[in-house]
């Protein structure tokens, strides 16, 4: 029967050591036996086995197409992030646009049912300042481990009205009267065209 360790152990865990207050995987690798996970190193140091953070699915916009969510308005209600090894508390979520514009989700919370696998980012702002396009989503745990899901959220562009003009109507419809490039007046309540 398959077990958790029948998966490649490198997909789930990594070895890390402390260097200048941060944990690094450089020069280390992990393997597994039937009973244990083992860290191997090319240098002498204190190290530990650390779970790998993985963002698997983002949801919350009008069309969810795993792993991404699509056609988000400029400020969607919330994004729900599912994955592995987010920790019990204090993970952060950052959205990054294609030009490097970043926006940190305020008040990110872990899902109560399973805080290690779910996060909620309430009312995220489009980091592209109203422009449409793909953005990446990065989760950083309280211990500093990070995973980025590229092309995670597709924001729709904010429509910009460049101008309004009355359209000639046939039949009973009446046209509005132009006042300025972006304004019409005296539009009938029914059968108006612009």
């Amino acid at each position: 029967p398959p077990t958790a360790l029948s998966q490649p152990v490198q997909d789930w865990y990594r070895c890390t050591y402390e260097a200048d207050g941060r944990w690094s995987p450089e020069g280390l690798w992990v393997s597994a036996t039937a009973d244990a996970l083992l860290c191997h190193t090319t240098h002498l140091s204190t190290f530990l086995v650390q779970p790998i953070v993985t963002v698997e699915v983002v949801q919350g916009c009008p069309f969810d197409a795993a792993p991404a969510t699509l056609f988000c308005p400029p400020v969607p209600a919330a994004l729900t992030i599912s994955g592995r090894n987010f920790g019990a508390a204090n993970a952060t979520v950052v959205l990054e646009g294609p030009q490097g514009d970043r926006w940190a989700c305020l008040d990110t919370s872990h899902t109560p049912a399973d805080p290690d696998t779910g996060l909620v980012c309430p009312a995220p702002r489009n980091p592209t300042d109203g422009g449409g396009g793909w953005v990446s989503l990065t989760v950083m745990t309280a211990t500093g481990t990070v995973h980025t899901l590229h092309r995670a959220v597709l924001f729709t562009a904010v429509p910009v009205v460049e101008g309004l003009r009355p359209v000639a109507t046939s039949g009973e419809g009446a046209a509005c009267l132009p006042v300025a490039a972006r304004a019409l007046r005296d539009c009938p309540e029914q059968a108006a065209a612009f």
Side-chain angles (χ1 to χ4, degrees), residues 41-98:
T41 181
T42 58
H43 52 81
L44 297 177
S45 179
T46 302
F47 54 91
L48 60 85
V49 175
Q50 186 179 54
I52 294 176
V53 175
T54 305
V55 176
E56 295 172 345
V57 176
V58 180
Q59 297 174 305
C61 296
F63 185 70
D64 294 322
T69 189
L70 313 174
F71 310 122
C72 288
V75 181
L79 295 177
T80 301
I81 299 108
S82 301
R84 294 190 311 249
N85 303 314
F86 297 152
N90 302 319
T92 59
V93 175
V94 173
L95 299 175
E96 184 171 347

Side-chain angles (χ1 to χ4, degrees), residues 3-173:
T3 66
L5 291 181
S6 67
Q7 298 284 332
V9 72
Q10 296 83 359
D11 291 348
W12 294 81
Y13 295 94
R14 68 179 182 173
C15 293
T16 60
Y17 72 97
E18 186 176 7
D20 300 321
R22 297 194 56 96
W23 291 95
S24 171
E26 299 302 319
L28 302 172
W29 65 98
V30 65
S31 66
T33 67
D35 301 323
L37 295 173
L38 304 171
C39 283
H40 307 275
T41 181
T42 58
H43 52 81
L44 297 177
S45 179
T46 302
F47 54 91
L48 60 85
V49 175
Q50 186 179 54
I52 294 176
V53 175
T54 305
V55 176
E56 295 172 345
V57 176
V58 180
Q59 297 174 305
C61 296
F63 185 70
D64 294 322
T69 189
L70 313 174
F71 310 122
C72 288
V75 181
L79 295 177
T80 301
I81 299 108
S82 301
R84 294 190 311 249
N85 303 314
F86 297 152
N90 302 319
T92 59
V93 175
V94 173
L95 299 175
E96 184 171 347
Q99 304 303 318
D101 301 329
R102 298 170 57 93
W103 187 81
C105 291
L106 306 176
D107 301 321
T108 298
S109 61
H110 291 253
T111 56
D114 193 353
D116 197 41
T117 63
L119 300 169
V120 176
C121 169
R125 186 178 70 79
N126 179 349
T128 64
D129 289 327
W134 287 101
V135 300
S136 299
L137 183 139
T138 299
V139 170
M140 179 184 289
T141 67
T143 60
T145 56
V146 174
H147 184 255
T148 299
L149 180 62
H150 298 284
R151 298 176 60 95
V153 181
L154 177 62
F155 281 97
T156 57
V158 176
V160 176
V161 176
E162 294 292 329
L164 295 173
R165 61 183 173 82
V167 175
T169 61
S170 60
E172 299 177 21

